[in-house]
Amino acid sequence: MNPHDTQERREEAGLLRAPPGPRGHFVGDNLREYARDPLGFLSDCAREYGDVVKLRLMGRTFLLLSRPDLIEYVLVENNRNFTKTRLLRRNRRLLGEGLLTSEGGFWRRQRRLTQPAFHRERVIAYGEVMASFAERALEGLREGETVDIHEEMMRLTLEIVAKCLFDADVGAEAEDVGRAMKVALEDFSSQRRLIRIPKGIPTPHNVRFEKAARRLDGIVLSIIEERRKSGEEDRGDLLSMLMLADDGSGERMTDSQLRDEVMTLFLAGHETTANALSWTFWFLTLNIEAEVKLAEELERVLGGRVPTVADLSGLPYVERVVKEAMRLYPPAWIMGREAIGECEVGGYRMSAGTTALMSQWVVHRDPRYHYDPERFDPDRWTAEYEKELPRFAYFPFGGGPRQCIGASFAMTEARLILAAVAQRFRMELAPGQRVEPYPSVTLRPKEGIRMTLAKRSRGR
Ligand code: HEM
């Protein structure tokens, strides 16, 4: 290729200009502003500098992409030129080579192996577990009681994912697992610090993390071991499928590979859904009109009955409430992809090693795609609204080949739990409870959400 042609073409396309972006500091570049308030900082950057914003964090270059077609380019059209980011890869201690972090041929094989556990008919069958576990959790709750709804949801969604995918009852260990998960997940957020201390150095944080990770390892490995010991390897669940699969050469997955997949599904499969539900309940306390409308739909369709998957198509408002909560408080609030080779994004050159950042928090609140974006308005989710929406103007589950494998699992679970809980109780925010989003690896309530439960009189 003639180098001058390339030069001209690039100039024409504006490829020699760097994308605009905020000035950085001598040490850490833009990290200080980002670390102080990631949600506010990224939103301000997109508003001030546009759809492609250049950021520098700790000597590395990032491009914040905030237009649906640019996100589609990275996640779908040119997905082969991108890998998961270093941040995720650094969390190998916990996630290993599981579905969320692996790449290439190994990822493709594992995805193919895992996919059948998420087929429609399987998810319908899981619906029974979801609804009955929700009922079991509700039996433990009393009118007038104040509970941390985030903690309750974390416990419930963990129990559900363990039962559905691995036929394991973690009820007794749920609190323990919850505590260990909390420490482990805090580790993700600590990675925003200016000075990062290597995992091998026994700081109090690292010691706590290692202890939590070991506790989780123990629980996951005991699930695998018990299954092996029972001699009943084919129970028809995901664990059986993973244990029995061979890679064509007769090789089965090792315990360590199994551990990575189980741990990944535990982690990816419960906190996100728990957050979606926690934010949903919180929005309902702030929006009485939506709360009443939801109660009316539940009374009309269920009349106090335990919800089933078959009921869900008759509960469109339940779905709209969940979708709207995930628009404003997306549990996965940011995604990253690192370019393997140089490419062109939005008229700018993106060199190899640069990371594209795509934030659901930013795009879901963009007035170009969502009218009155800051308002919680479940009624916006009409069929026409969805039809008009560019594909990546709403992407709570990501997109392209690495799209969330548990999307329909999560939507079924969230709707069933919301229906079960909301037809039994109305919630009020406990006095003095501050609710603040905390953008860790997921977007969760910083100090939990303490709610007082009020019994629902029929229809209200
Ligand atoms: C509301 C709930 C959930 C949300 C918002 C959510 C969001 C996401 C997003 C955005 C991704 C893509 C990440 C990326 O491409 O970088 C993802 C991937 C993934 N999710 Fe979910 N998720 C949810 C629930 C679940 C559940 C219930 C499961 C499993 C039971 C699950 C398992 C996974 C796995 C294994 C991946 C990696 C898939 C791959 O790379 O092949 N998620 N999720």
Side-chain angles (χ1 to χ4, degrees):
M1 188 194 288
N2 177 342
H4 298 293
D5 285 354
T6 316
Q7 174 95 356
E8 264 171 32
R9 207 184 60 75
R10 281 189 177 166
E11 275 176 351
E12 251 174 40
L15 293 181
L16 291 182
R17 278 182 296 124
R23 277 172 64 95
H25 301 276
F26 182 62
V27 178
D29 305 309
N30 304 117
L31 187 69
R32 220 174 299 168
E33 288 80 4
Y34 176 76
R36 197 178 302 139
D37 173 17
L39 303 173
F41 176 65
L42 294 181
S43 306
D44 290 349
C45 281
R47 204 170 24 239
E48 203 165 314
Y49 300 103
D51 294 328
V52 185
V53 181
K54 181 178 169 186
L55 299 171
R56 297 273 304 164
L57 302 170
M58 300 298 286
R60 297 181 43 78
T61 304
F62 294 79
L63 296 186
L64 174 67
L65 306 179
S66 306
R67 218 175 60 207
D69 62 307
L70 303 180
I71 297 172
E72 185 164 5
Y73 171 78
V74 172
L75 295 181
V76 186
E77 285 162 30
N78 198 18
N79 75 82
R80 284 180 176 271
N81 188 40
F82 292 91
T83 62
K84 295 271 178 140
T85 61
R86 277 162 211 240
L87 177 76
L88 255 186
R89 277 187 263 139
R90 250 204 314 273
N91 289 288
R92 285 269 150 94
R93 165 68 185 89
L94 213 57
L95 302 171
E97 282 289 323
L99 212 46
L100 199 61
T101 37
S102 56
E103 299 276 358
F106 184 72
W107 164 77
R108 233 184 314 280
R109 170 176 179 258
Q110 296 300 90
R111 174 100 188 189
R112 216 178 309 120
L113 267 178
T114 310
Q115 197 75 57
F118 293 95
H119 281 167
R120 211 170 151 264
E121 56 288 7
R122 293 302 291 257
V123 174
I124 291 174
Y126 300 150
E128 249 172 67
V129 174
M130 293 166 178
S132 68
F133 275 43
E135 286 302 310
R136 193 172 82 176
L138 280 166
E139 276 160 22
L141 300 176
R142 297 278 164 270
E143 181 190 349
E145 195 179 349
T146 298
V147 295
D148 181 342
I149 201 71
H150 184 242
E151 246 170 46
E152 296 292 326
M153 292 300 118
M154 288 283 275
R155 189 178 320 128
L156 178 56
T157 53
L158 180 71
E159 284 175 7
I160 289 175
V161 80
K163 183 70 188 166
C164 291
L165 301 183
F166 311 116
D167 196 16
D169 209 329
V170 296
E173 287 132 333
E175 229 146 275
D176 220 14
V177 176
R179 254 195 309 273
M181 288 269 182
K182 209 166 163 187
V183 175
L185 291 167
E186 270 161 17
D187 189 67
F188 281 93
S189 345
S190 75
Q191 292 171 8
R192 282 208 299 268
R193 289 192 193 127
L194 208 53
I195 300 168
R196 209 174 285 129
I197 301 168
K199 284 262 179 342
I201 298 178
T203 60
H205 172 84
N206 284 349
V207 170
R208 242 196 0 250
F209 171 77
E210 189 49 37
K211 203 170 144 208
R214 283 206 193 134
R215 178 80 191 104
L216 292 174
D217 279 346
I219 291 167
V220 167
L221 287 169
S222 76
I223 293 175
I224 297 169
E225 204 176 304
E226 254 166 53
R227 181 68 60 91
R228 287 218 199 281
K229 266 202 281 191
S230 74
E232 190 200 351
E233 285 207 337
D234 193 3
R235 234 183 263 178
D237 64 355
L238 178 61
L239 186 55
S240 299
M241 290 199 279
L242 294 173
M243 283 173 118
L244 294 172
D246 74 54
D247 62 3
S249 66
E251 289 285 318
R252 294 260 175 101
M253 282 173 74
T254 62
D255 275 4
S256 136
Q257 285 171 335
L258 281 169
R259 172 231 168 262
D260 294 350
E261 292 303 352
V262 175
M263 184 76 86
T264 295
L265 288 161
F266 264 7
L267 277 170
H270 91 290
E271 215 226 349
T272 39
T273 317
N275 289 344
L277 280 159
S278 305
W279 295 123
T280 300
F281 289 122
W282 176 63
F283 274 119
L284 289 171
T285 66
L286 303 177
N287 295 274
I288 301 304
E289 215 178 289
E291 210 268 344
V292 169
K293 212 166 160 176
L294 177 71
E296 281 168 0
E297 183 178 88
L298 293 171
E299 171 64 16
R300 186 163 22 85
V301 177
L302 302 175
R305 214 169 25 79
V306 176
T308 65
V309 173
D311 292 315
L312 293 178
S313 59
L315 295 168
Y317 198 68
V318 169
E319 181 172 358
R320 288 178 181 189
V321 166
V322 174
K323 276 191 175 159
E324 182 66 345
M326 286 205 298
R327 183 182 68 81
L328 281 166
Y329 277 61
W333 65 280
I334 195 163
M335 294 168 53
R337 289 291 190 275
E338 199 173 300
I340 299 168
E342 183 183 310
C343 61
E344 177 190 330
V345 180
Y348 295 104
R349 185 169 71 89
M350 182 170 187
S351 48
T354 300
T355 296
L357 293 177
M358 299 152 283
S359 168
Q360 286 90 340
W361 175 274
V362 172
V363 180
H364 289 185
R365 289 164 183 257
D366 191 326
R368 290 177 294 180
Y369 315 114
H370 302 281
Y371 65 83
D372 207 353
E374 303 293 327
R375 192 157 66 93
F376 179 79
D377 175 15
D379 285 321
R380 75 174 72 234
W381 289 101
T382 59
E384 302 79 68
Y385 188 77
E386 295 208 38
K387 210 170 115 211
E388 292 293 307
L389 218 49
R391 184 157 162 214
F392 283 89
Y394 181 71
F395 60 117
F397 295 106
R402 307 290 306 239
Q403 170 160 17
C404 177
I405 200 169
S408 67
F409 184 113
M411 282 308 289
T412 304
E413 182 183 19
R415 286 180 296 163
L416 285 172
I417 295 176
L418 173 61
V421 176
Q423 75 166 341
R424 190 84 63 90
F425 293 113
R426 237 171 357 101
M427 296 191 199
E428 282 157 21
L429 208 56
Q433 171 71 62
R434 268 174 10 123
V435 180
E436 213 183 306
Y438 183 67
S440 170
V441 62
T442 62
L443 190 68
R444 56 189 158 116
K446 189 169 184 183
E447 294 161 21
I449 308 183
R450 292 182 61 75
M451 301 266 205
T452 304
L453 307 175
K455 199 164 176 67
R456 189 178 290 293
S457 46
R458 303 299 290 271
R460 170 69 188 93

